[in-house]
Amino acid sequence: MASEEAARLSARTLGVAFGIALFLGASPHSMRAEDAVAYVLDATDIVASGRIRVEIALPVPVPAPAALVVPRNYPGGYAFVLYDGTIENVRGVSPDGTTLVVARDPYGPRWSLGKAGQRVARVVYEIDVARMEREIHDAVATSKVRPRYAGFLGYSIFGYVDGEERRPASLEIRAPEGWAVLTTLAPAVPALAGKASGRAPDYDTLADSQVLMGPDMKLSRLLGVIPLVFAAYVECEADLSLESALARTALDRVQAYFGDAPFRQYTVQLELLEPLAGHGYGFSQEHVDSGTFSLSPERATTAKTSADERDQTLVNYAHHMAHSWIPKRAYGAGYSPHTWEAPPVLDTIWFNEGFGRYAAVQALADGMPPAEGAAFRTRTLGRLRAILDEAPPFIRRMPLVELSRSASFLYSADFRIGRSTFSRGALMAAEMDDKIRAASGGAKSLKDGLRALLRAPHPFRTEDLPVIFQSATGVDVREILEHWMKETKR
């Protein structure tokens, strides 16, 4: 049994090393240009038509029938989004340039390309971005086009040929003449004009990137342990120097909390937008090494912004930045590799959102004078407890795993579920942190446990968490975990 256990741990360790290699830019396929799936995003007509064209060229043609797959959700979105509804004029092309027969799956986000005996070399399709934004009311879930700006979320525009998604991907971007262009795969400040390019180790990383362009995009680069690229488009009064300073502070403190720098830079995509009719602009979204913050004008930071409002902005930045560690690098079953065609059912959203939120709050508190930090932490945890107290009885009765599974689809659609999920997780983390600090005389904290978790094999099992935390801190928090996993009705 000892040898079997050693073999199991060795395999899991290799898996983690493999995952880290992917995160840092390695790939199971060679990263040579000739081995990459070549994507072209042609947005040269975006102002006149509100449309873009995407081409996917395969390094090696694949047998037909092949399938073009388009996402219906995205990592950390916990929602069902019909991106395939705006895909038009799909065309498959053989190696000799022959146009192939294309058939749309009537139920799923797939298009069949070609017939048996043929081969598929390229796929081309168009997207009506203006229509996408009209039909998807959550600003953080949709790409956008304005007269002098366009912002594209990778998962809303890039599909993949089934079976080729683990290959590396290259991206070529074509913009209107003279427009500044930035891709979060390789953000350059100042931005290039008219075109840009980037590379990703696989489709998941490409899809979790963003492309921003336009003469009204404002760019700055703020130095730090992890350089910050700040890309903003605003339709209101906003002090971008204050706003970017808050983002810089948040990133510095989150990086200090986790203690490493796993990516070359972090990009903030800030959009302060006058809402379209019926739209809601209240959420933000994390990505591998960037964050999308699409908000309404009242969330803008100005000289008139109150201290409490600035604290809320700081928490929002820090929370989504913390997701680049949790759960992008520390995750439970089902989170990675991502299932793009339907939202995966996850048992550990309470960890993703709750522990990620608590880590952000504690990171910010650690950067304040002790009394100020303690008061900030107390206020923030008090708001989380109020969320649980105000939750309807049916939610309070739900065990945490059941609540997480419901949140897999309804996190923001019924934010009572989303708020209860992250509040329970964050308060569990806070209780663990308090116990570890008290039992170790302040020598250890949950931070040590989370740093150990980042180094552990993934996906973790929920029952692994107390073991990993105890090995790092010497404190057993199993009873706290077991308590919070139950219903909270008192």
Side-chain angles (χ1 to χ4, degrees), residues 97-180:
T98 301
T99 298
L100 303 173
V101 173
V102 174
R104 171 70 196 265
D105 185 323
Y107 305 110
R110 286 178 170 246
W111 286 258
S112 176
L113 310 169
K115 297 181 178 180
Q118 297 179 311
R119 299 184 75 80
V120 180
R122 290 187 297 122
V123 186
V124 183
Y125 57 88
E126 297 176 2
I127 301 176
D128 187 335
V129 178
R131 176 185 164 200
M132 179 192 297
E133 187 179 6
R134 289 195 303 270
E135 295 181 354
I136 298 174
H137 288 194
D138 185 354
V140 80
T142 180
S143 292
K144 305 168 190 70
V145 57
R146 298 291 186 273
R148 292 169 54 84
Y149 171 78
F152 304 106
L153 300 171
Y155 40 72
S156 74
I157 62 171
F158 296 130
Y160 61 89
V161 174
D162 198 12
E164 298 294 293
E165 64 269 28
R166 299 273 67 84
R167 285 188 180 274
S170 65
L171 174 62
E172 177 187 342
I173 304 159
R174 301 168 186 168
E177 184 176 357
W179 275 31

Side-chain angles (χ1 to χ4, degrees), residues 224-240:
V225 175
I226 300 175
L228 173 67
V229 176
F230 193 84
Y233 168 75
V234 302
E235 298 178 344
C236 61
E237 178 189 356
D239 189 327
L240 295 183

Side-chain angles (χ1 to χ4, degrees), residues 39-273:
Y39 284 77
V40 176
L41 166 58
D42 187 342
T44 53
D45 195 43
I46 187 68
V47 176
S49 68
R51 302 170 68 87
I52 59 174
R53 179 179 177 273
V54 175
E55 177 178 329
I56 306 171
L58 303 177
V60 179
V62 298
L68 169 68
V69 183
V70 172
R72 278 186 170 174
N73 74 105
Y74 50 94
Y78 315 125
F80 185 70
V81 188
L82 295 174
Y83 291 123
D84 49 300
T86 57
I87 304 292
E88 301 175 356
N89 302 325
V90 177
R91 186 165 63 95
V93 183
S94 71
D96 64 4
T98 301
T99 298
L100 303 173
V101 173
V102 174
R104 171 70 196 265
D105 185 323
Y107 305 110
R110 286 178 170 246
W111 286 258
S112 176
L113 310 169
K115 297 181 178 180
Q118 297 179 311
R119 299 184 75 80
V120 180
R122 290 187 297 122
V123 186
V124 183
Y125 57 88
E126 297 176 2
I127 301 176
D128 187 335
V129 178
R131 176 185 164 200
M132 179 192 297
E133 187 179 6
R134 289 195 303 270
E135 295 181 354
I136 298 174
H137 288 194
D138 185 354
V140 80
T142 180
S143 292
K144 305 168 190 70
V145 57
R146 298 291 186 273
R148 292 169 54 84
Y149 171 78
F152 304 106
L153 300 171
Y155 40 72
S156 74
I157 62 171
F158 296 130
Y160 61 89
V161 174
D162 198 12
E164 298 294 293
E165 64 269 28
R166 299 273 67 84
R167 285 188 180 274
S170 65
L171 174 62
E172 177 187 342
I173 304 159
R174 301 168 186 168
E177 184 176 357
W179 275 31
V181 187
L182 180 139
T183 167
T184 59
L185 294 174
V189 180
L192 300 176
K195 62 182 180 180
S197 61
R199 292 182 64 81
D202 52 22
Y203 171 80
D204 284 11
T205 307
L206 173 72
D208 210 17
S209 69
Q210 301 80 57
V211 174
L212 315 175
M213 60 178 67
D216 283 353
M217 174 177 64
K218 308 299 182 185
L219 284 179
S220 59
R221 183 178 176 88
L222 290 77
L223 297 180
V225 175
I226 300 175
L228 173 67
V229 176
F230 193 84
Y233 168 75
V234 302
E235 298 178 344
C236 61
E237 178 189 356
D239 189 327
L240 295 183
S241 62
L242 290 176
E243 193 84 50
S244 61
L246 290 174
R248 178 71 268 176
T249 296
L251 183 57
D252 286 342
R253 294 184 186 177
V254 168
Q255 185 279 324
Y257 184 86
F258 289 108
D260 62 358
F263 33 85
R264 292 186 297 274
Q265 72 286 309
Y266 186 93
T267 304
V268 164
Q269 173 193 2
L270 174 66
E271 297 172 330
L272 295 169
L273 306 165

Side-chain angles (χ1 to χ4, degrees), residues 394-395 398 403-404 406-408 410-411 414-422:
F394 86 95
I395 290 179
M398 295 171 74
L403 184 63
S404 183
S406 294
S408 298
L410 298 172
Y411 187 89
D414 185 340
F415 202 36
R416 298 175 303 171
I417 289 174
R419 281 157 53 92
S420 291
T421 304
F422 72 66

